[in-house]
Amino acid sequence: MYKALLICLLLLPLFGCKQTDLVRIEYEGNTAGRITESHQLNEVADIFESIEWTTSDFQATKPYDIQATLFYRENPNMPERLKAYQIWFYEKEAQVVGEKPGYGVLDEKQAEWLRQLLK
């Protein structure tokens, strides 16, 4: 009985739910910085989850404003997984290019909030 319980407890982390945590963000543009505070990380994660992605080809009209690298931890025993994004801020929106084909668009409110977090 104890052996079966011990085996289950040891195998649970291998087959249990994967939890992905955003642990930090490093960015550069006009200024460089790092975000490590959990409430700011949660806000940025929410913004990136709300991006509306399109599969159209992206044509930049200017150099990107910010390059941000998001560091995710899926397992404490494994290295962090990195996702790099380039962000262009315009008057009424922001455009984001990342790992997915195409690009993403943020509305004016989300773009301004992201700009404030990454300044």
Side-chain angles (χ1 to χ4, degrees), residues 4-119:
L5 181 61
L6 181 62
I7 290 172
C8 288
L9 289 175
L10 291 175
L11 293 178
L12 184 64
L14 295 176
F15 299 106
C17 299
K18 269 192 174 180
Q19 181 178 358
T20 303
D21 293 325
L22 180 59
V23 293
R24 80 176 181 272
I25 300 169
E26 293 180 2
Y27 59 91
E28 58 185 33
N30 290 337
T31 61
R34 176 184 293 192
I35 297 174
T36 56
E37 294 182 29
S38 62
H39 73 279
Q40 289 180 328
L41 292 171
N42 290 334
E43 291 173 1
V44 172
D46 289 344
I47 291 171
F48 272 84
E49 286 176 12
S50 70
I51 292 176
E52 295 179 28
W53 293 96
T54 180
T55 57
S56 302
D57 288 335
F58 178 73
Q59 298 293 326
T61 58
K62 63 177 186 170
Y64 61 80
D65 295 306
I66 293 179
Q67 179 165 338
T69 304
L70 283 61
F71 293 77
Y72 290 93
R73 174 159 290 142
E74 290 182 354
N75 183 334
N77 299 323
M78 298 296 292
E80 297 165 336
R81 189 170 42 102
L82 309 175
K83 290 187 176 185
Y85 296 94
Q86 290 83 35
I87 305 166
W88 287 260
F89 291 107
Y90 296 100
E91 190 174 316
K92 296 198 181 239
E93 69 178 11
Q95 296 177 341
V96 181
V97 173
E99 298 175 339
K100 296 182 180 184
Y103 66 98
V105 178
L106 291 169
D107 65 27
E108 185 176 4
K109 181 180 175 185
Q110 293 169 323
E112 186 57 35
W113 188 242
L114 184 61
R115 184 189 318 238
Q116 293 300 318
L117 289 168
L118 298 178
K119 70 175 189 180

